[in-house]
């Protein structure tokens, strides 16, 4: 509807409106997509939140470690050990090791994280201010935030964070966000899949 | 609710929530107000739109003079002639003249605007492209746009455009926007009126 | 240099640095380009400035028609009459008419603009406030502004405004800006030309 | 100079220019301050960087823990133990304890941080990818980034982060930034100190 206002008219039916959406996206006219706004309540590890917050054209409000005590066991432990990727040297891939070895990796991460949390709690008990004690907490602690973002900025987030070069952990979140977005804005999603993902229109909108 | 997430808790009742809103605003913690988003469909003269579009932390989609023909008589004529203000030299104030003189002023503005519109239409009839012909149209022509803006950016708009230094024409729009905002977000409005306008809380929320 | 900081190292020589720039641009990692900032002093018609100011990730300060009197003859007149484009229906192309007919078109635009400027001056002489009188001035009046913009936002501006779909008048400005940009940041320019314009690296950086 | 363009004139001498700067700031006309751009290379603990990166109207490029190995001992340890503040309940204040007790606090933070770093290094030696191993590193690890910011956004940063409610660690950085800013833009600084800090002009610019 915001797109149509540039042409001074109302909707012209599904087929024409979908065509307009595709045209706008293909030619970089992205402002009409800013008028649809999404809001998410996200819980994720701090190192994921750090990547997320780099997306400046959106609004964040995070739970603050200055005022809130972190709960026991509230940290993220990867399912599998990952090693340096062979092809794309900057990423990582699941190590070709036994289940026991993966379990040993998990146990190590869990033990180290728990030790840090224990030390944090001890510091609190000794009267240390929360904003000081939390500095020794690891970056896999969970945090929570509200995220308000328009469809244009959301698509930009998806382009970068669903990408194979994104770290696995944020990619999982981005893919979940993407699925919700595709469900809520199917016409825009179809154009997005066609133009940015190279998928055929037919595949994107099965009857 | 977005504000509460920083403290890791839900609502704590009206009184405490209103207090929190006031506290956040008074201390410049404005991000929680970004999670409420407003959308307006505005019709205003181009010279007003030019001032409006300077507010970059928001989204605009305007009807385009490149594709749309402007309708006859679609221009703004001030009710009264205004002269240079005596105190605040940069503004203007209603001239101390007779009703007839005001009417003469209006007639002049109307005649000049109409002549420009007539010339524009003639250029179009001679086959001139719309995007070229419209360059001779005056700045009091009406335009239309969608405006999507969050409550924080909206309050910033109001601070600048409801101000006595703002040009009369945009101030009238800003005051109408302000009334809608006050109605939709009464608690935030009460804090806004108290902190920025110096009004007493009692006056702002009569029982 | 800003790009290198992500990898915790200094420059690695021209060849590797150029490769890094190309890699970053090709993969949508555009933030390193934000650390180089350009500043322009622009004089252009109001209808061009209106399109320019839509680029929100940059800073503008414009001469204000509320405080400044526009000078005589300070308006833009197109060299040639343009008509609706046949292929791309929304644009325009130079009309296939005689030089005399183009001259007649120019004379008409000039006469209408001058008439509006004369009426504006008369209103001022009758004591009308500047901010009121200027509303009847046409959109081809020249205005001036300072524009501060980083290289990332600048490239986005160029992508949209050097495009064949952009209106001729802003395209001329965008092309001039582009040439200055290419001269100041030759490595980034080479990557830009290769990735966005499809030019070969060889062509872009002749020995 | 950007401010003067709104009035269509050049500089009018120091006294008048300073007056203009004060007027603009006092009336919320902050865009002219966007045309002066600063660039900083910052090294600070991650929990400080997390607060810093919330300032979206600026550009950041950070060293990435996905690609870079953190060096030994590269973490921050507070000089003094801080406890919950009595007056402003959300902050902290130096504990009223002996030097030995402060030293014991420091030793504890150092030991915990070092253990985490040791575990991180061990994970790396076992082939764990850098982007995975770093998730157990504490938030007092140092990171580095480039920060490009205009004077308007910089002043907004200072208002929030030099404030008594800001956490001590970022306040120390903000005060250092402020001193550099005051030195580079003395006229703007004088207006800033007068309007936002309530200092007298005389005090701000001693002869």
């Amino acid at each position: 509807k915001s797109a149509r206002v540039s042409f001074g008219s109302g909707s012209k039916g599904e087929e024409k409106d979908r065509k307009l959406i595709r045209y706008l996206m293909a030619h970089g006219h992205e402002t009409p997509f800013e008028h649809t706004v999404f809001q998410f309540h996200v819980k994720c590890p701090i190192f994921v939140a750090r990547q997320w917050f780099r997306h400046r054209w959106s609004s964040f409000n995070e739970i603050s470690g200055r005022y809130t005590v972190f709960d026991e066991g509230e940290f993220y432990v990867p399912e599998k050990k990952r090693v340096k990727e062979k092809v794309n040297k900057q990423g990582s891939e699941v190590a070709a090791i036994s289940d026991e070895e993966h379990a040993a990796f998990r146990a190590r991460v869990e033990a180290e994280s728990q030790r840090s949390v224990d030390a944090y709690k001890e510091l609190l008990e000794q009267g240390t201010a929360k904003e000081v004690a939390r500095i020794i907490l690891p970056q896999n602690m969970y945090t929570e935030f509200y995220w308000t973002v328009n469809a244009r900025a959301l698509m930009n987030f998806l382009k970068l964070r669903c990408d194979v070069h994104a770290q696995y952990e944020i990619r999982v979140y981005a893919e979940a966000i993407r699925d919700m977005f595709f469900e809520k804005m199917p016409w825009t999603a179809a154009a997005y899949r066609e133009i940015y993902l190279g998928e055929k229109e037919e595949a994107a909108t099965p009857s």
Side-chain angles (χ1 to χ4, degrees), chain A:
Chain A
K1 209 169 102 185
S2 309
R4 280 284 173 223
V5 83
S6 300
F7 300 94
S9 69
S11 172
K12 291 191 168 167
E14 171 166 348
E15 202 194 345
K16 287 206 171 167
D17 280 4
R18 296 184 75 139
K19 234 174 157 170
L20 174 60
I21 288 170
R22 254 206 309 282
Y23 175 86
L24 290 167
M25 203 183 286
H27 288 78
H29 297 302
E30 301 181 330
T31 55
F33 301 105
E34 295 177 17
H35 298 283
T36 306
V37 177
F38 290 83
Q39 190 157 73
F40 300 93
H41 183 162
V42 178
K43 182 172 180 173
C44 70
I46 285 174
F47 70 92
V48 171
R50 291 242 295 147
Q51 297 172 351
W52 210 309
F53 280 49
R54 301 302 307 277
H55 294 265
R56 289 159 295 174
W57 200 277
S58 55
S59 300
F60 297 96
N61 269 79
E62 191 185 2
I63 200 167
S64 173
R66 294 183 66 193
Y67 314 136
T68 314
V69 176
F70 285 93
D71 289 331
E72 196 131 2
E74 280 290 289
F75 47 78
Y76 161 76
V77 178
E79 270 293 293
K80 307 265 185 189
K81 177 174 173 178
R82 301 208 305 279
V83 295
K84 203 176 171 180
E85 221 174 348
K86 262 149 220 125
V87 186
N88 164 28
K89 282 172 200 163
Q90 283 138 12
S92 64
E93 59 191 11
V94 173
I97 54 176
S98 70
D99 283 0
E100 286 71 29
E101 287 169 305
H102 279 306
F105 167 78
R106 279 202 303 276
R108 181 68 198 271
V109 170
E110 182 143 8
E112 292 299 337
S113 306
Q114 191 56 53
R115 183 189 51 70
S116 294
V117 171
D118 291 344
Y120 163 72
K121 299 218 156 166
E122 223 179 293
L123 286 179
L124 287 184
E125 276 156 28
Q126 293 162 4
T128 313
K130 286 195 276 267
E131 69 177 25
V132 176
R134 55 116 183 217
I135 73 176
I136 62 165
L137 284 174
Q139 295 172 58
N140 57 344
M141 296 302 293
Y142 277 102
T143 185
E144 277 180 59
F145 59 88
Y146 278 97
W147 185 38
T148 299
V149 61
N150 66 50
R152 180 192 189 180
L154 183 60
M155 286 189 283
N156 189 53
F157 172 84
L158 296 178
K159 265 177 254 172
L160 286 168
R161 304 303 182 181
C162 291
D163 188 88
V164 71
H165 294 91
Q167 184 163 351
Y168 168 74
E169 279 82 4
I170 196 167
R171 209 163 62 224
V172 171
Y173 281 91
E175 286 167 358
I177 297 275
R178 184 194 58 195
D179 292 347
M180 288 186 257
F181 166 63
F182 280 3
E183 198 192 311
K184 290 285 176 199
M185 292 185 80
W187 297 358
T188 301
Y192 176 87
R193 297 172 83 155
E194 188 186 341
I195 292 166
Y196 292 114
L197 308 182
E199 295 179 16
K200 281 196 194 131
E201 168 69 6
E202 290 71 39
T205 59
S207 60

